[in-house]
Amino acid sequence: MMILLLDKNHPLIEEQLSAKGFTFEEDFTSTYEEVLEKISDFEGVIIRSRIPLDENFLRHAKHLKFIARVGAGMENINVEVAKELGISLINSPEGNRDAVAEQVLGMILLLTNRLIISSEEVKKGIWKREENRGEELLGKTFGIIGYGNMGKAVAKRLSGFSTKTIFYDILPNLSDEFATQVSLEELQKNADFISLHLPIDKSTHYIINEDFISKMQKNFYIINTARGKNIDTEALANALKSGKIKGAAFDVLEFEKASFENIEIENMDLDFLLNSEKVLITPHIAGWTIESKEKLAQVIVDKILLKYS
């Protein structure tokens, strides 16, 4: 089986699959149009996010049997057309769930204990203790929206902090030893924290908006390591200004490029976030650890071999 690699990934993908008889072409620089011209030569494609695999692309891929995304989200692929054409879709959320969960916990602790703010103040010779009094997680209610691989990994780690962890998910009967499933209304009633772990589609686009925020009964912290367009940036900025949202931590932004490489537009509300001491922002690295790079690749290899060896 001939596989096209469109993004750089851990070398174990080529090493292990080559040993099983798969052949490869690496192409990390060609444009969408250039890849389109040759995609019919391949039976498999392994990607991250560089090139969109839209309907036009997929209908040109006459011999494509599978698309493997080294990561969790599949929004860069026209999933419906892929299914129509009988193209198998493979992803690897198991590979970076631990990395995401650890970043979520790190972000929470940085926010609630004002660690970055107070550290920067001390470096400037400013010594404030009362102003930097933190909040403990013990006894708080932590709300997770989306209880898949990432959400479950976060809940597992929160168990060590003795929080009450609840979650909302569209699938039923997912409660486990680490978290209890509740309605969205109950989550909005009780949560002191919200962490998003969702794909992006019509139902989750702007799931956090002005209406959602107004229904939160407590002032709360919010963490988003899922997709930027899960949150309406204008509503978020307004809630931070009013104090309804006490602090926010984001690894993703509404105005990221589809390839996740950088921010693509200027926006007044985004400028507010970038300059607010209540906001922590990282460059889409929550699943981006030394360990997860290898684990993501290994999951992809294992799934390909399970299906095609």
Side-chain angles (χ1 to χ4, degrees):
M1 188 178 289
M2 186 69 175
I3 300 175
L4 178 62
L5 301 176
L6 288 176
D7 297 277
K8 292 182 180 180
N9 287 295
H10 197 284
L12 72 79
I13 291 178
E14 285 190 74
E15 291 167 4
Q16 294 185 20
L17 291 179
S18 294
K20 296 293 185 179
F22 293 81
T23 55
F24 293 88
E25 179 180 322
E26 294 180 352
D27 188 342
F28 306 145
T29 59
S30 289
T31 65
Y32 172 93
E33 289 75 17
E34 290 168 339
V35 174
L36 200 65
E37 291 179 2
K38 63 180 180 181
I39 189 57
S40 62
D41 296 336
F42 298 91
E43 295 169 282
V45 174
I46 299 178
I47 64 166
R48 285 205 315 264
S49 304
R50 187 172 69 86
I51 288 180
L53 274 57
D54 57 15
E55 180 175 2
N56 181 50
F57 185 100
L58 296 176
R59 295 199 184 281
H60 275 78
K62 301 298 184 182
H63 300 104
L64 200 61
K65 294 181 178 179
F66 76 84
I67 299 165
R69 176 159 192 271
V70 185
M74 304 291 272
E75 68 271 15
N76 214 38
I77 303 164
N78 190 318
V79 173
E80 294 305 316
V81 172
K83 290 179 179 178
E84 174 196 329
L85 297 174
I87 300 169
S88 296
L89 299 177
I90 299 168
N91 65 343
S92 53
E94 305 92 338
N96 63 352
R97 60 188 173 193
D98 298 315
V100 170
E102 289 188 14
Q103 175 143 337
V104 169
L105 264 294
M107 285 176 150
I108 294 165
L109 295 173
L110 287 172
L111 279 177
T112 56
N113 292 283
R114 297 175 59 88
L115 296 180
I116 292 179
I117 297 168
S118 58
S119 175
E120 290 302 311
E121 288 175 349
V122 171
K123 289 177 181 179
K124 296 173 183 177
I126 302 168
W127 192 273
K128 295 181 179 179
R129 298 186 66 220
E130 185 57 38
E131 293 87 343
N132 286 307
R133 191 181 288 274
E135 293 184 59
E136 298 178 12
L137 296 182
L138 177 67
K140 299 293 196 307
T141 298
F142 197 99
I144 296 171
I145 301 180
Y147 205 62
N149 282 282
M150 311 303 176
K152 291 176 183 178
V154 171
K156 183 176 181 179
R157 282 155 180 79
L158 283 168
S159 63
F161 289 88
S162 297
T163 61
K164 177 182 179 182
T165 304
I166 58 177
F167 69 90
Y168 169 76
D169 196 285
I170 58 173
L171 298 177
N173 305 317
L174 298 179
S175 294
D176 58 23
E177 61 186 301
F178 302 114
T180 302
Q181 190 162 8
V182 298
S183 67
L184 191 60
E185 291 74 19
E186 188 172 345
L187 185 143
Q188 290 171 311
K189 178 181 178 181
N190 294 301
D192 298 288
F193 297 85
I194 287 179
S195 186
L196 301 182
H197 301 282
L198 299 164
I200 186 68
D201 57 31
K202 291 180 180 178
S203 67
T204 63
H205 185 266
Y206 283 0
I207 189 171
I208 306 299
N209 54 24
E210 184 177 353
D211 180 64
F212 180 99
I213 293 168
S214 71
K215 292 177 180 176
M216 291 291 294
Q217 293 199 14
K218 299 179 181 178
N219 294 345
F220 65 102
Y221 291 93
I222 188 165
I223 303 96
N224 188 12
T225 54
R227 289 294 181 260
K229 289 182 172 61
N230 292 141
I231 299 180
D232 179 346
T233 302
E234 181 179 4
L236 169 73
N238 290 337
L240 282 162
K241 292 172 185 176
S242 72
K244 182 67 178 182
I245 293 180
K246 298 160 73 172
F250 300 107
D251 186 52
V252 291
L253 293 167
E254 179 181 353
F255 305 108
E256 281 181 89
K257 286 188 174 181
S259 60
F260 309 137
E261 292 172 339
N262 50 40
I263 299 168
E264 62 181 346
I265 68 170
E266 294 184 5
N267 174 271
M268 180 176 64
D269 296 306
L270 175 61
D271 286 343
F272 171 79
L273 301 186
L274 295 175
N275 290 284
S276 173
E277 69 168 21
K278 294 181 179 180
V279 178
L280 176 65
I281 301 176
T282 55
H284 209 121
I285 57 169
W288 205 256
T289 62
I290 295 168
E291 294 83 1
S292 72
K293 183 177 182 179
E294 180 173 351
K295 288 191 282 186
L296 284 164
Q298 190 63 62
V299 170
I300 289 295
V301 168
D302 292 345
K303 288 183 177 181
I304 291 173
L305 291 178
L306 182 65
K307 191 171 182 66
Y308 296 105
S309 62

